[in-house]
Amino acid sequence: MITPILDPGKKEPLYEQLYEFIKEEIRSGRLGEGEKLPSKRTLAAYLRVSRSTVESAYSQLADEGYIRARERSGFYVRQAERKFARKQALPEQSPPDSPKRTYLYDLRTSGVDTEHFPFTVWARLSREVLSEYGQELLRATHPQGMERLRICISRYLYDFRRVEAEPEQIVIGAGTEYLLGLLIQLLGTEKRYAVEEPGYPRVHRILTNYGVKPAYIPVDEEGMRVEGLRQSGAQVVHVTPCHQFPTGAVLSAGRREALLQWAGEEEGRYILEDDYDSEFRFQGKPVPALQGMGAPEKVVYFYTFAKSLAPSLRIGYMVLPKSLMGAWREKFQGYSCSVPSFEQYTLCRFMEKGYYERHLNRMKTLYRGRQDALAEALDIPGFRLIGRDAGLHFMLEVTEESYDEEELVERAARAGVYLRGLGDYYASGAEQDGPPRLLIGYGAYDETRLREAARILRKAWEGE
Amino acid sequence: MITPILDPGKKEPLYEQLYEFIKEEIRSGRLGEGEKLPSKRTLAAYLRVSRSTVESAYSQLADEGYIRARERSGFYVRQAERKFARKQALPEQSPPDSPKRTYLYDLRTSGVDTEHFPFTVWARLSREVLSEYGQELLRATHPQGMERLRICISRYLYDFRRVEAEPEQIVIGAGTEYLLGLLIQLLGTEKRYAVEEPGYPRVHRILTNYGVKPAYIPVDEEGMRVEGLRQSGAQVVHVTPCHQFPTGAVLSAGRREALLQWAGEEEGRYILEDDYDSEFRFQGKPVPALQGMGAPEKVVYFYTFAKSLAPSLRIGYMVLPKSLMGAWREKFQGYSCSVPSFEQYTLCRFMEKGYYERHLNRMKTLYRGRQDALAEALDIPGFRLIGRDAGLHFMLEVTEESYDEEELVERAARAGVYLRGLGDYYASGAEQDGPPRLLIGYGAYDETRLREAARILRKAWEGE
């Protein structure tokens, strides 16, 4: 409906104001050629003017050729001078972070397979949920998310990750940006935070957007150096113990103990454990989460389904220590759960019926195959693979001095393969120490295509 | 799957460690009666131990009566001493904000009708989207939300609300808590903020959770007093111009002009316009949004579909001034859109096919009927209705001195009707001036039930 401001106080009669308004709409292209105008009756009722006001405006527009009447159908715009002009005014920005050039292969760490998502099952469960729950889907869930889904998650966490989480400690939300944001609000921005370096650029971004300047804790092949954390004076640390991002290191047993001890020494210290792709572990025994190792009151556990299911679902959760639940409720009790009910019901059924576990097993086999294929194809003299234990990416370390990280990335890019060097993950601006290292994600392509990408890389790096 | 930590370094053999672990699982009730254990082969592969390790553990458990073998089927838990004991440990908190007592009627302002949501249409469109877009639904949308949906919204905003918004200025997100939070991060917490008083408790809560202490600007029958805003020294003000929450006042033409002028006088001043239920306007001409009144660079426009569609959908959006888009991208370019693709596709189709407009028209008629019915039934001597122009609630002002606000609320509660006094909406802690006023929401019940609720209220307030 069109919404002019008609002012009876003006010297122009209402019909003329309406005529001028619609004319301007047509001339500017906001009302496009062939568009139907509201019926006189409808528009008069909507604008609270008499029907003759609309009639006069319409007939003047028709007289001047802006609109035309079609018998028993109504009035239509005749001539649009510019077509929906507003549309062109500001160019749409392409999704940031999307490659500036065109690439044959995007091997960044964010690549996830969505081809093998059991879409048929998901669609069937969605339909079941739609017909079984109906109206119920329109009601808001508990602020922490649907209880039944939290029970599923609690069970899963205990069985697979040894995380001790009552459903009452779980907060379901629309992804990490949202949940980590709530947590920062809960703990306060005046606390001192620390992040791993190299580490997750997104976590760094979330913290700095909250005005928090974190300390940077170095990482080596045993994961985060707890010694460095101790020296930093931080109270809250974000860590990826089961699969350090991006190096792929697993936090060693000694470091785990040291980290938990650090947390226990002072009130108000917390470990934010990000368990982002822990289910895809290919070598060695399962590595349980830090949260279940004896100090659940010191750990906030984060998980997102973005990697294990699909990035578009926007469901994640965090497990809060029981002692923080009171403060959480006080601050966020009036907030709505940020995930639509419909997604929650569907995911709940997906988990309850065992599809989630089956999907993970299937993906694990699939990703392991991809990793093997790519690792084999990238067995290049002068390069060494690191971090093959788990996850959807590994690191390629250059063992010969003759190469430079940026040059390797650039050569790959020129040959059509998008990947990143470890240097991109140093948020502090510090120089990276150690040899050049490249991060390679294998989640998004099948084995044949990965071998092809590897062939291109070899050619680009080794020369003809 | 069960995930014990098996340590070859311990003096107990692995099978004994596994046996102890499973026994503890059963004794604690975490493995419930009748549950099936993983097959020996599966568990051995999962834990990376030999099959005989699992075999020994299982047979010891069977010997001691914890599990039993069923032929050609596997091992099952025999005896659960406590049933899923963890479940009971911490009592589930009922959704906060939910009434402590049991009420016959909940007439708070948050009540929305979900019975008349065109669920059949929505479900059909959902199914269409599922089968037409398939895998595409698994890919993340543009960080600001699906472009086609933003085009729909842009068009709708211009046609109905006179808001000037390119699709490129629209940010779709999971509700007001999230979007307003992003905006606070964008403008910064060191700016001085102001809110209306009485006003939206949730907005106040969001600000204080960010560590912002807002100034409180008084409201009268013409809406927010811009004079007070000027005196407060604030730079950013949250305002509900089209239907002040909770008083229902419409910001007068003079105040609108003064507010826009205030914003234009200094760089960095912004008006956050919350247009939460503007589509349900019952009297007078449509009131266009402030954003379209000549200073779109000074206004951030907020909208949520929670009231117009359903609270559980978790879709809202904000329109940012063009001049803020650069800063927005810089801060939030790596964030994912917080609304699942599936909801975005379905809403887009719902709007494109005209269902949204039809739904709003239908609801407007319905809500108007409810308001009329309740207003008529509450025509009580000594009470006066205020704010009937729009929205899903009005205010009942007490014109006789003999009543006290809290007493009226308490008497209503004792009779089974939940409602709130205006005093609850003074966040500053200041005393409310003026007569006692009660807020009454009529969104959630049909006319018959509203009349019944009114009958109860009259009886409770007037005595036998």
Side-chain angles (χ1 to χ4, degrees), chain B residues 77-97:
Chain B
V77 176
R78 205 162 168 180
Q79 181 189 7
E81 290 175 25
R82 286 188 297 144
K83 270 220 156 185
F84 196 32
R86 290 185 305 134
K87 192 56 208 76
Q88 270 79 45
L90 188 71
E92 175 82 0
Q93 300 282 325
S94 58
D97 221 44

Side-chain angles (χ1 to χ4, degrees), chain B residues 234-248:
Chain B
Q235 299 162 287
V236 182
V237 62
H238 182 276
V239 60
T240 46
C242 293
H243 188 228
Q244 205 276 329
F245 189 89
T247 66

Side-chain angles (χ1 to χ4, degrees), chain A residues 1 30 86 137 155 312, chain B residues 30 137 155 159 166 312:
Chain A
M1 196 70 80
R30 283 186 289 253
R86 291 186 304 136
L137 297 175
R155 194 80 210 231
S312 73
Chain B
R30 280 187 290 252
L137 297 175
R155 195 81 210 233
D159 290 348
E166 312 280 343
S312 74

Side-chain angles (χ1 to χ4, degrees), chain B residues 221-405:
Chain B
E221 61 286 347
E222 287 186 59
M224 192 188 63
R225 292 174 59 178
V226 182
E227 202 45 39
L229 173 63
R230 219 169 251 291
Q231 285 154 13
S232 75
Q235 299 162 287
V236 182
V237 62
H238 182 276
V239 60
T240 46
C242 293
H243 188 228
Q244 205 276 329
F245 189 89
T247 66
V250 176
L251 196 64
S252 67
R255 294 264 174 94
R256 283 176 175 240
E257 222 162 278
L259 183 57
L260 290 172
Q261 200 188 325
W262 166 85
E265 279 165 16
E266 249 179 53
E267 192 122 346
R269 282 188 180 170
Y270 290 101
I271 300 163
L272 313 186
E273 173 175 27
D274 191 336
D275 206 31
Y276 67 106
D277 67 0
S278 53
E279 51 285 277
F280 304 124
R281 170 150 294 279
F282 309 129
Q283 294 179 10
K285 303 202 166 128
V287 178
L290 201 60
Q291 199 267 9
M293 291 183 70
E297 282 303 306
K298 285 296 174 180
V299 180
V300 183
Y301 177 94
F302 286 88
Y303 184 77
T304 165
F305 290 97
K307 295 226 167 198
S308 60
L309 284 174
S312 74
L313 287 175
R314 306 314 307 150
I315 313 185
Y317 56 83
M318 60 179 170
V319 178
L320 290 169
K322 286 182 192 168
S323 53
L324 283 178
M325 288 314 300
W328 192 88
R329 286 194 198 103
E330 199 181 306
K331 276 193 180 251
F332 304 115
Q333 61 176 7
Y335 287 29
S336 308
C337 176
S338 51
V339 180
S341 312
F342 183 62
E343 258 71 19
Q344 294 190 57
Y345 278 79
T346 308
L347 176 60
C348 183
R349 185 163 288 211
F350 192 76
M351 291 182 88
E352 278 179 355
K353 301 218 162 186
Y355 293 113
Y356 184 58
E357 198 177 326
R358 254 172 278 167
H359 173 63
L360 289 184
N361 285 334
R362 190 169 171 219
M363 294 313 288
K364 196 169 137 178
T365 308
L366 194 93
Y367 285 138
R368 191 199 315 231
R370 290 180 181 184
Q371 198 209 56
D372 286 346
L374 185 62
E376 198 185 294
L378 281 178
D379 183 13
I380 317 175
F383 291 83
R384 185 168 76 95
L385 285 183
I386 294 175
R388 289 191 58 187
D389 285 358
L392 305 183
H393 72 274
F394 52 53
M395 199 159 65
L396 198 58
E397 182 181 284
V398 181
T399 53
E400 275 173 25
E401 295 266 324
S402 51
Y403 295 109
D404 167 83
E405 193 171 291

